[in-house]
Amino acid sequence: MQESQNVTDYPNTNTIFSVWKFKANIEIKPAFENLCALVANLNHSYAVRIPDGRISCVMGIGHDAWIQLSLPTPLPKELKTFEAITGSKHTAVATPGDLHFHLRGTDMSVCFDMLTAITEILYPVADALEEIHGFRYWDGRSILGFVDGTENPIGDQRELFAIVGDEDAAFKGGSYLFVQKYLHNMQDWTKLPVEAQEKVIGRHKTSDIELPDAIKPDNSHSALAAIEDEKGNELKIVRDNMPFGNPSKNEVGTYFIAYANTFSTTHKMLERMFIGVPSGNYDRILDFSTAHTGSLFFAPSLRILKAYTADSTSD
């Protein structure tokens, strides 16, 4: 059994992202075993109860937690503790995280109930570092007003770029999960004329059509976020970004979440954005969007999760 967690589904109407850090000097393995069983139960139960809800719970595990939990070794080839990427002006910060949960549903009630069940298990042994409630904004746009994830792979390409294959056979079916919480400076952003905003993003705001190369700046987001290998083949990641916000507190942002079959693709994109091509020619969107978190996880296959469920480990 190599079945993947549901990392290739498209963003749903409502989402909760949750990051946890294990407490020190506490036995965590029994709680983790219960979590593995819970993740399987939640996905199966809601598929039966609400078959058209596209509901899913995906769990990612950080490098240190992987070791602490005595999960299979050697580790997934590119699972490590994320290190900050510092450019001339902006930094992709690195922040802690042992477990990440990506909860999707058509109804926020489902996401809320799933996180409540997860919290009941984790609360005695871990601290919640982040809880972000995302929502679909109009026709899949970010708070900045542009469609988000236009360059995402579609159809079978999603699995090709998101799921680990035979290149790391022990972890086939898994996926590298990288997340960042961005807050937007909307006061400065909304002062820009639409034409100037389009040159920051590299696309027309209303139609979502990419700007012609002749007028698209080389430091636009669409220019620097495009990744190719050494042979010129395009590399992609599966983004499930969601907007979130508390307008009364002037806090609005985007939760960037990327699934990929290798973290090096995502890391190369981050280097292009924050350091720039050439160095100093950074992604202009960063002048209006600040990364406040940055963490890498691995979402193992359901086969691995099943091997560590409370029922399986007690056999």
Side-chain angles (χ1 to χ4, degrees), residues 140 192 264 293:
L192 287 182
S264 57
T293 68

PDB file of all heavy atoms in Angstrom, residues 140 192 264 293:
ATOM      1  N   GLY A 140     -11.277  32.403  -6.566  1.00  0.00           N
ATOM      2  CA  GLY A 140      -9.948  31.873  -6.265  1.00  0.00           C
ATOM      3  C   GLY A 140      -8.865  32.917  -6.220  1.00  0.00           C
ATOM      4  O   GLY A 140      -7.702  32.622  -6.502  1.00  0.00           O
ATOM      5  N   LEU A 192      -1.348  51.612  -5.205  1.00  0.00           N
ATOM      6  CA  LEU A 192      -0.796  51.394  -6.543  1.00  0.00           C
ATOM      7  C   LEU A 192      -1.910  51.398  -7.579  1.00  0.00           C
ATOM      8  O   LEU A 192      -2.953  50.754  -7.391  1.00  0.00           O
ATOM      9  CB  LEU A 192      -0.068  50.049  -6.615  1.00  0.00           C
ATOM     10  CG  LEU A 192       1.284  49.891  -5.926  1.00  0.00           C
ATOM     11  CD1 LEU A 192       1.813  48.488  -6.191  1.00  0.00           C
ATOM     12  CD2 LEU A 192       2.278  50.932  -6.392  1.00  0.00           C
ATOM     13  N   SER A 264      13.622  20.563  -3.170  1.00  0.00           N
ATOM     14  CA  SER A 264      14.571  21.412  -3.887  1.00  0.00           C
ATOM     15  C   SER A 264      13.869  22.322  -4.897  1.00  0.00           C
ATOM     16  O   SER A 264      14.331  23.437  -5.154  1.00  0.00           O
ATOM     17  CB  SER A 264      15.633  20.562  -4.585  1.00  0.00           C
ATOM     18  OG  SER A 264      15.040  19.626  -5.461  1.00  0.00           O
ATOM     19  N   THR A 293       6.209  33.210   8.786  1.00  0.00           N
ATOM     20  CA  THR A 293       6.568  31.841   9.164  1.00  0.00           C
ATOM     21  C   THR A 293       7.222  31.160   7.972  1.00  0.00           C
ATOM     22  O   THR A 293       7.116  31.625   6.831  1.00  0.00           O
ATOM     23  CB  THR A 293       5.342  31.007   9.607  1.00  0.00           C
ATOM     24  OG1 THR A 293       4.490  30.767   8.474  1.00  0.00           O
ATOM     25  CG2 THR A 293       4.564  31.702  10.710  1.00  0.00           C
TER      26      THR A 293
END
